[in-house]
């Protein structure tokens, strides 16, 4: 079945760049997503990329998509302590009826 | 602003009890979802619904049922709660148009003793 994989933890220092990586098995998703979950809260959409694009930039966030390798990454420039959260990669299932989420990467930012 | 509310933030129940978790949306979105979130396992889809009285099983429907009598309300039911259903439960909604962005509620942390 469809699968989305991401590493579980990432630790960076304040001011550094963070790169969170994700690989997926099914390439039929029209959009690919990054969600952020802050402690004690539900998930919020952070950004998404259309599957025909290679890159999308939104202020400190850069999303890179390599369709050939089925690899999606999220880069956060100048990482702040407020960026500490769990980040989920998500793609649509084959039927287009639901999203499949990775297990989430916990980003820890130290000052 | 999209609003997805869940009936409780924290709930403690005993083994064997019937448990209702409610999710209400104010956006008139067609699709509604129930996930459970567990450490190291991420989000797993329990059930979803794309219309009133319609429901589809997700990846882990065993031990759960759902009800959608009105478009804005989607209920998750644990017929006989067990300790392995202790988890964070998240409700989400999405629309059929455009990117299938999902909007999430704040979650209900359920503890079954």
């Amino acid at each position: 079945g469809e699968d989305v994989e991401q590493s579980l933890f990432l630790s960076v220092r304040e001011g550094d760049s963070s790169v969170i990586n994700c690989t997926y098995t099914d390439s039929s998703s029209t959009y690919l997503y990054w969600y952020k979950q802050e402690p004690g809260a539900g998930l919020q959409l952070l950004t998404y990329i259309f599957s025909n694009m290679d890159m999308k930039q939104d202020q400190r966030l850069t999303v890179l998509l390599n369709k050939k390798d089925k690899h999606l990454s999220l880069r956060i420039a100048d990482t702040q302590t407020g960026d500490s959260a769990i980040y989920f990669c998500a793609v649509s299932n084959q039927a287009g009826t639901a999203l499949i989420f990775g297990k989430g990467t916990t980003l820890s930012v130290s000052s | 602003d999209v609003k997805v509310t869940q009936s409780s933030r924290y709930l403690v129940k005993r083994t064997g009890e019937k448990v209702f978790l409610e999710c209400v949306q104010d956006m008139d979105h067609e699709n509604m979802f129930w996930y459970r979130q567990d450490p190291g396992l991420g989000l797993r889809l329990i059930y979803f619904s794309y219309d009133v009285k319609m429901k589809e099983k997700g990846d882990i429907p065993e031990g759960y049922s759902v009800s959608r009598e009105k478009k804005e309300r989607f209920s998750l039911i644990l017929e006989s709660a067990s300790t392995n259903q202790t988890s964070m439960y998240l409700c989400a909604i999405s629309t059929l148009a455009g990117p299938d962005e999902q909007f999430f509620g704040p979650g209900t942390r359920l503890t079954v003793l």
Side-chain angles (χ1 to χ4, degrees), chain B residues 20-108:
Chain B
F20 291 88
L21 302 182
E22 288 229 305
C23 176
V24 180
Q25 56 139 330
D26 67 353
M27 285 300 292
D28 202 36
H29 281 9
E30 296 83 5
N31 303 328
M32 298 187 76
F33 306 83
W34 275 107
Y35 295 90
R36 63 177 282 178
Q37 182 180 14
D38 300 287
L41 297 177
L43 270 72
R44 292 180 292 168
L45 182 63
I46 304 171
Y47 267 98
F48 64 100
S49 166
Y50 50 86
D51 203 352
V52 175
K53 296 195 188 296
M54 305 298 284
K55 61 184 179 185
E56 293 281 340
K57 291 180 181 178
D59 299 319
I60 51 161
E62 296 78 20
Y64 303 95
S65 62
V66 290
S67 171
R68 191 158 180 207
E69 296 296 318
K70 293 185 178 181
K71 190 175 185 180
E72 68 270 18
R73 192 178 295 267
F74 191 36
S75 302
L76 180 69
I77 304 154
L78 287 66
E79 294 289 342
S80 176
S82 62
T83 54
N84 63 12
Q85 292 178 308
T86 292
S87 186
M88 170 71 89
Y89 290 88
L90 293 167
C91 173
I93 67 172
S94 72
T95 182
L96 290 174
D100 43 18
E101 173 185 358
Q102 291 190 8
F103 300 93
F104 282 80
T108 295

Side-chain angles (χ1 to χ4, degrees), chain B residues 1-12:
Chain B
D1 250 7
V2 177
K3 200 136 173 81
V4 181
T5 56
Q6 295 184 227
S7 47
S8 310
R9 290 302 303 272
Y10 300 94
L11 209 51
V12 179

